[in-house]
Amino acid sequence: MSSKIAHIESELVSLREDLKNHELYKKLNSVDDIKTFMEAHVFAVWDFMSLLKALQINLTTVSIPWIPKKNTNLVRFINEITLAEESDVNKDGVLKSHYEMYLDAMQEMNADCSKIAGFIDKISKGEDVFKSIDNLEVHNAIKDFVTYTFKIIDTKEDHKIAAAFTFGREDIIPDMFLKIVGETTLKSNKKFDNFIYYLERHIELDGDEHGPLSLQMIEELCGNDDKKWQEVLEVAKESLQVRINLWSAVEEELKSKNEPILA
């Protein structure tokens, strides 16, 4: 690990600890609790793909005529992640995107998919992402999360997009998902089969492969440019904070749902 990466990792310790030890994980104690979590988290599962696609568009060639890119390390890395995220093998051996696997898990436990489906329908018909999420009847923390993602994408600055992708997603997924798998008492419930598979698949991919490779991507994109390294740190902190805010919003919703009604 380079000294620059080590510095960023040290600067993020507090935020990562806040995320890793968030009270939300201890409150996922029923099927309804998990459903509430998934109905919010699915937006993060979806918008991750746009971060990935922004990097694929910028760092590989996706236009005609094809022109070779100088940094084939980045080309290979992004294409490998895209392959896994867009067409991985689900628990039944069927090729599906991770987003579709997540929807399958939601449907398996009868979670409400209508809001994310309505949102996807609107943008698939050409409606602006910012307008669509702003008009959607979801918690403001979900709106803030998606809005932040697309504001970073709109910068068209590869190192910033890579920072949100790496430090806001790939580098923290194993910690977060291990906590969910470890805290929930419902792993033996068959309704959770697809969800547990999704979590464990990400722990495997992001911990062993994608996380370390994404850190290399940051190093290659920033090089010796101190300004870029500082901007990466700023985006990394912001990305973690919007995730913490999203978790806190779900925790508050669970708390309000599970509070006893006083006679």
Side-chain angles (χ1 to χ4, degrees):
M1 182 186 296
S2 73
S3 60
K4 298 281 191 182
I5 291 291
H7 172 69
I8 289 178
E9 296 278 23
S10 68
E11 288 287 311
L12 299 179
V13 167
S14 177
L15 285 167
R16 289 188 61 152
E17 285 299 308
D18 288 346
L19 188 58
K20 185 177 179 180
N21 299 313
H22 202 288
E23 287 297 310
L24 169 64
Y25 306 120
K26 296 177 182 178
K27 291 183 168 59
L28 301 175
N29 298 317
S30 71
V31 173
D32 283 343
D33 294 341
I34 297 290
K35 285 161 64 173
T36 297
F37 169 80
M38 296 184 79
E39 287 161 9
H41 182 233
V42 66
F43 287 88
V45 174
W46 170 78
D47 78 354
F48 167 82
M49 287 303 301
S50 290
L51 280 173
L52 174 58
K53 284 296 177 179
L55 290 170
Q56 188 180 35
I57 289 167
N58 295 345
L59 301 179
T60 75
T61 300
V62 291
S63 58
I64 298 172
W66 178 82
I67 298 171
K69 291 288 185 177
K70 291 181 179 179
N71 195 325
T72 50
N73 289 333
L74 293 180
V75 171
R76 177 61 178 255
F77 169 61
I78 291 300
N79 283 337
E80 279 190 355
I81 292 186
T82 302
L83 176 66
E85 291 290 340
E86 265 193 320
S87 56
D88 202 3
V89 179
N90 74 0
K91 72 178 182 62
D92 299 316
V94 179
L95 293 175
K96 288 195 174 186
S97 70
H98 286 177
Y99 170 72
E100 291 168 309
M101 289 185 199
Y102 202 87
L103 287 183
D104 287 345
M106 290 180 71
Q107 291 163 359
E108 186 177 51
M109 61 182 73
N110 296 317
D112 182 6
C113 300
S114 63
K115 290 181 180 177
I116 186 66
F119 173 69
I120 297 298
D121 181 61
K122 285 183 178 180
I123 60 172
S124 68
K125 293 175 180 175
E127 186 170 302
D128 177 73
V129 170
F130 296 107
K131 178 182 177 182
S132 296
I133 196 66
D134 189 50
N135 291 336
L136 201 64
E137 291 186 11
V138 293
H139 196 286
N140 284 337
I142 297 174
K143 296 181 181 183
D144 291 344
F145 191 96
V146 174
T147 297
Y148 180 78
T149 296
F150 279 86
K151 281 183 177 178
I152 292 298
I153 290 170
D154 281 355
T155 68
K156 302 189 186 306
E157 295 183 76
D158 296 340
H159 64 290
K160 291 182 180 179
I161 299 170
F165 178 89
T166 299
F167 297 106
R169 309 297 178 109
E170 296 293 280
D171 203 36
I172 59 169
I173 290 295
D175 283 351
M176 289 192 305
F177 287 2
L178 278 167
K179 290 291 286 189
I180 295 173
V181 172
E183 292 287 351
T184 182
T185 59
L186 302 167
K187 291 190 287 291
S188 60
N189 189 323
K190 285 294 183 183
K191 286 185 178 180
F192 286 82
D193 282 358
N194 279 312
F195 184 48
I196 295 297
Y197 178 87
Y198 172 90
L199 296 176
E200 291 180 339
R201 182 66 176 140
H202 272 77
I203 291 166
E204 174 189 357
L205 282 174
D206 296 340
D208 295 341
E209 301 173 32
H210 296 172
L213 286 171
S214 65
L215 293 174
Q216 292 179 28
M217 173 175 63
I218 294 289
E219 291 185 12
E220 299 215 21
L221 289 173
C222 292
N224 296 317
D225 190 324
D226 289 338
K227 183 174 181 291
K228 284 185 177 181
W229 280 108
Q230 181 58 38
E231 289 172 342
V232 162
L233 177 58
E234 291 167 3
V235 171
K237 288 181 176 179
E238 292 166 356
S239 298
L240 288 172
Q241 190 58 61
V242 293
R243 173 79 68 167
I244 291 168
N245 295 347
L246 179 61
W247 268 205
S248 295
V250 177
E251 182 198 0
E252 284 300 314
E253 186 172 354
L254 291 176
K255 192 184 298 182
S256 65
K257 282 184 176 181
N258 295 328
E259 281 179 352
I261 298 175
L262 299 178

